[in-house]
Amino acid sequence: MKILVINCGSSSIKYQFYSLSESRILAKGIVEKIGMKGSFLKHEKESGQKVLFEGEILDHKIGIEYILGVLSSEKHGCISSLDEINAVGHRVVHGGEEFSTSALITDEVILALEKFIELAPLHNPPNLRGIYAIKALIPEIPQVAVFDTAFHHTMPQHAFMYAIPYALYKKYGIRRYGFHGTSHRYVSSRACEILGVDPKTVKVITCHLGNGASACAIKYGESVDTSMGFTPLEGLIMGTRSGDIDMGAVSYIMDKEKIGTKSASILFNKHSGLLGITGISSDSREILAAADKGDERCILAIEMFNYRIKKYIGAYAAAMGGVDVLIFTGGIGENSVSTRVSVCKDLEFLGIEIDQEINAGIRGEERIISKEGSKVKVMVVPTNEELMIAIDTQNIVYGKE
Ligand code: AMP
């Protein structure tokens, strides 16, 4: 069973080509700078050999043509014909209130996704472009949409509603949707697999800490709360997003700076977070390095970042009436030893005790990092959204094995 997983961003397309029955990634790569000068496709073969193709990649359809071309090319490819692709799975950011699970893409599904462009104007349009391109280029091959929002459908209403006039929820669908669902779902189920426990018996908090960051409370296998909201702007402090902020401060800034909604959106999405506080970078590696050299704003940014995560862990432990497993994932969660130490510090009262020695050696690998006797199992689980998309795609198109 060969599944192509596609993740279309505004100017990029990431892809991974799986042979699931053999647990192999046959190829992967990225198309970058779509519609810009200097666009290229970077393709990596199963052997690890990398090939670069430069070209005029004006839109997502051309990008996907490049991908299909290289996958089936004699010299660099891994299939002799495109018919060998059994299905294509797409990452789709927003599935609104309609999609509680991944879905086979039909014309009706495409119509629904077009409707959700209003809710995710930055993300759903490129996701759709990928779907249109596959439909045009290899129309017989089934496609599946895997939504970032779907996992959070189990949130109870008291967790997903905002305390604004109810009519606005009815009229515009203003509520918490949550994102990163595929990642929270993957790492929580993988952690349970590693621990040998049934997800239906444990309370889990997942911290996806990357350039985008969110936390999720997963009670007995279901998401019951998550930190991102109506958009991915709410919650934790991120690379360039503010996370939680008083709405009163937003309108005050807009008044004082005489800016409209578009500029405000750019301010809070692109110029805030770690970048906004440090004034140097959104990249935690650079910030950690500058903090080590004594840069005060970098030290502050790190303290704020960690403190916000700690608060959410406390809140979610309270929301679930306890916590059994705490998981770190995402580029920062998987790699930053000091972030994990700082976040877990003083959480012993919740039963969270990490083993400093084990933690210090863990970067980007699956591992229990809590002390032998820690009530809460603290774990590092590298995320793998692509694998989850491939598995969902196979299950939907061909049924569960
Ligand atoms: P992601 O969005 O999941 O790819 O994560 C990107 C973030 O992970 C960036 O802020 C990187 O600086 C951070 N990151 C990657 N490797 C490390 C590392 N070794 N230590 C600290 N942060 C890291």
Side-chain angles (χ1 to χ4, degrees), residues 346-373:
D346 299 330
L347 291 183
E348 292 80 9
F349 78 100
L350 280 178
I352 294 172
E353 290 180 78
I354 61 172
D355 183 314
Q356 303 291 349
E357 212 171 297
I358 296 176
N359 180 50
I362 300 305
R363 284 178 189 79
E365 59 182 292
E366 290 177 346
R367 190 70 188 260
I368 299 169
I369 56 164
S370 43
K371 284 185 184 163
E372 192 73 42

Side-chain angles (χ1 to χ4, degrees), residues 6 19 63 70 134 139 157 189 223 248 262 354 366 368 392 400:
I6 287 183
S19 171
V70 72
I134 293 288
Q157 199 172 21
S189 71
S223 168
K262 259 212 177 108
I354 61 172
E366 290 177 346
I368 299 169
D392 274 12
K400 282 198 179 172

Side-chain angles (χ1 to χ4, degrees), residues 208-212 282-285 288 330-332 335-336 363:
H208 179 115
L209 311 175
N211 207 12
S282 62
D283 190 302
S284 72
R285 273 167 298 198
L288 287 162
I332 303 170
N335 293 296
S336 173
R363 284 178 189 79

Side-chain angles (χ1 to χ4, degrees), residues 267-284:
L267 174 65
F268 294 108
N269 274 293
K270 303 268 183 214
H271 300 292
S272 297
L274 296 175
L275 175 65
I277 305 158
T278 62
I280 294 179
S281 173
S282 62
D283 190 302
S284 72

Side-chain angles (χ1 to χ4, degrees), residues 92-100 112-113 116 119-120 124 147-150 153 177 179:
V92 177
V93 168
H94 218 304
E97 287 202 307
E98 247 157 275
F99 295 99
S100 56
L113 298 186
F116 300 143
L119 294 176
N124 271 31
F147 303 98
D148 271 21
T149 47
H153 257 253
Y177 290 98
F179 300 87

